[in-house]
Amino acid sequence: MEGITEGVNNINFTDSSSIKRNRIQVSNTKKPLFFYVNLAKRYMQQHNEVELSALGMAIATVVTIAEILKNNELAVEKRIMTSTVDMREDAGGRPIQKAKIEILLGKSEKFDELIAAAQEEALDYEEQN
């Protein structure tokens, strides 16, 4: 166990600027849809924009998240990128291509106002119950 702890403590990241702190990699099996919607709101509060990324079957989930945020006037679409990536399902298997999407959303002009109103509404609800 000490060896594992020592290994974790000695991990070095060579270029921390390449790590996108406002990227959400969406899976359609791990978390419910509104987990990602709420996480995207939080990221937009912190970074003014969020990048939603997904592969394969999770692409529909990313599009749904983006549309929920846009339809509620919380986000504006800045960029959509599509591509394919080569992946291997098994260590010795042959490569397969998977579709990839990246959607960059920014805060809408009404974002801060809408978030403040939602927080106030939640406080009022808590006080009543």
Side-chain angles (χ1 to χ4, degrees):
M1 188 69 170
E2 289 176 22
I4 294 171
T5 305
E6 185 178 316
V8 170
N9 289 336
N10 291 332
I11 291 176
N12 289 323
F13 293 102
T14 54
D15 184 11
S16 63
S17 64
S18 68
I19 300 170
K20 290 195 175 182
R21 300 197 191 293
N22 64 333
R23 175 183 284 167
I24 300 172
Q25 293 178 316
V26 175
S27 164
N28 60 347
T29 58
K30 292 186 179 172
K31 301 281 184 186
L33 179 71
F34 276 90
F35 168 84
Y36 292 113
V37 171
N38 292 324
L39 185 61
K41 288 181 196 177
R42 197 169 324 131
Y43 277 32
M44 283 193 291
Q45 281 178 307
Q46 294 171 350
H47 304 286
N48 294 323
E49 61 184 24
V50 64
E51 183 178 296
L52 303 169
S53 175
L55 295 174
M57 301 298 281
I59 289 174
T61 305
V62 162
V63 172
T64 303
I65 294 164
E67 288 301 312
I68 288 169
L69 293 166
K70 286 170 30 184
N71 290 338
N72 287 310
E73 299 183 41
L74 293 167
V76 291
E77 196 174 282
K78 288 187 163 184
R79 183 182 75 228
I80 298 177
M81 287 186 5
T82 61
S83 61
T84 55
V85 292
D86 288 330
M87 302 188 80
R88 293 184 190 275
E89 286 188 357
D90 298 320
R94 62 186 183 118
I96 57 168
Q97 288 196 322
K98 283 210 170 198
K100 179 179 182 177
I101 192 167
E102 294 173 338
I103 302 176
L104 182 66
L105 299 174
K107 277 185 179 182
S108 70
E109 289 181 13
K110 295 181 176 180
F111 180 87
D112 292 323
E113 178 186 328
L114 291 169
I115 292 296
Q119 288 172 343
E120 190 174 315
E121 192 175 297
L123 286 174
D124 290 345
Y125 179 79
E126 282 182 19
E127 288 174 3
Q128 291 175 0
N129 293 325

